[in-house]
Amino acid sequence: PGAVAPAGADEAEQDQETASEEEQRVNLAFGQSLAAWRTQAGLTQKELAAASNLAAESLRDYEAGKYRPTTG
């Protein structure tokens, strides 16, 4: 006999996957907007990163949709 998942476990897992997919979409949309703004402003990633006190790698990750900056 296999273990029985608690009631609602499948639903919770689906909600978590949906939230993760939504976060990925938001991150990608943010990155695309950031890249568009940066190129419209005539800045390179290196220039914007320096002006923003960020590592160029972090800016690349933001634009690629891997992450989104947090406020706090």
Side-chain angles (χ1 to χ4, degrees):
V4 175
D10 289 338
E11 235 175 81
E13 188 174 314
Q14 288 176 341
D15 288 346
Q16 186 176 13
E17 287 176 13
T18 302
S20 178
E21 291 169 0
E22 179 65 18
E23 185 175 349
Q24 288 174 353
R25 280 193 290 277
V26 169
N27 288 355
L28 185 56
F30 171 81
Q32 290 170 338
S33 295
L34 178 61
W37 175 85
R38 177 184 55 75
T39 54
Q40 186 176 20
L43 297 171
T44 65
Q45 286 180 336
K46 188 176 180 178
E47 290 168 334
L48 180 56
S52 303
N53 200 30
L54 291 172
E57 184 176 313
S58 295
L59 184 63
R60 279 193 300 274
D61 287 345
Y62 292 152
E63 287 188 2
K66 291 182 181 180
Y67 307 104
R68 198 169 18 137
T70 57
T71 59

